Amino acid sequence: MQNELNSLTIGGLAKAANVHVETIRYYQRRGLLPEPARPYGSIRRYGTAEVSRLTFVKTAQRLGFSLNEVAELLRLEDGTHCQEASTLAEHKLEDVRKKIEGLQRIEQVLDEMVHRCHREEGNITCPLIASLHEGLGEAGDPRA
């Protein structure tokens, strides 16, 4: 198995890392994944290092890092830049917290709209639809 993981085709690498072949090619164009040399008359081969790198990229993306931020983290991965990596993660954490606050505001507005609909059953005009036409009126500002 170890030998198989060190001689993967791009399709095998995609399967091992649970990504599409086009994702690998895109990451290579972006400089996130090195493109191995192609031996004369043969095909490129990938190994465990590339699987690990793809796992790193996908995990960072799931945590909300953009590909530019992932590239920066990869640049810092030698272990001597932990403070810089931490600063980048702190900024990402602040962004996530702001998004959560925004989503909580949206949740509150939608909750109020749903309650208004239930309170005014049988009314000809739906309060939810009316609120949307009014720009949410008293319920809140969707641009906040």
Side-chain angles (χ1 to χ4, degrees):
M1 176 80 171
Q2 181 65 23
N3 197 21
E4 289 176 17
L5 279 178
N6 285 319
S7 64
L8 297 170
T9 63
I10 194 168
L13 175 62
K15 185 175 181 179
N18 199 28
V19 298
H20 295 283
V21 168
E22 286 308 312
T23 300
I24 294 169
R25 290 186 178 128
Y26 179 70
Y27 289 171
Q28 287 173 332
R29 287 191 301 271
R30 294 281 309 252
L32 297 170
L33 184 69
E35 192 171 332
R38 182 191 312 244
Y40 183 75
S42 185
I43 58 174
R44 292 183 175 93
R45 296 291 178 173
Y46 301 87
T48 55
E50 289 80 13
V51 173
S52 176
R53 187 131 171 153
L54 283 169
T55 300
F56 180 99
V57 172
K58 296 310 289 180
T59 302
Q61 281 187 297
R62 280 192 299 275
L63 290 173
F65 290 98
S66 69
L67 288 181
N68 288 338
E69 291 166 330
V70 172
E72 184 64 15
L73 287 170
L74 285 167
R75 186 184 71 75
L76 301 172
E77 78 173 324
D78 67 4
T80 62
H81 298 90
C82 191
Q83 185 59 45
E84 290 175 69
S86 176
T87 299
L88 188 60
E90 287 169 8
H91 287 114
K92 181 54 60 187
L93 180 59
E94 188 172 322
D95 289 346
V96 167
R97 287 179 174 153
K98 286 178 183 176
K99 287 177 184 177
I100 289 170
E101 288 172 11
L103 288 171
Q104 287 172 334
R105 284 192 303 271
I106 291 169
E107 178 188 32
Q108 290 171 348
V109 169
L110 287 172
D111 187 56
E112 174 58 27
M113 294 172 97
V114 167
H115 280 83
R116 285 173 56 191
C117 282
H118 292 290
R119 282 192 311 259
E120 299 185 29
E121 273 187 34
N123 195 347
I124 302 278
T125 305
C126 173
L128 185 135
I129 302 296
S131 292
L132 292 173
H133 279 292
E134 296 166 5
L136 297 182
E138 63 200 57
D141 185 351
R143 297 164 295 199

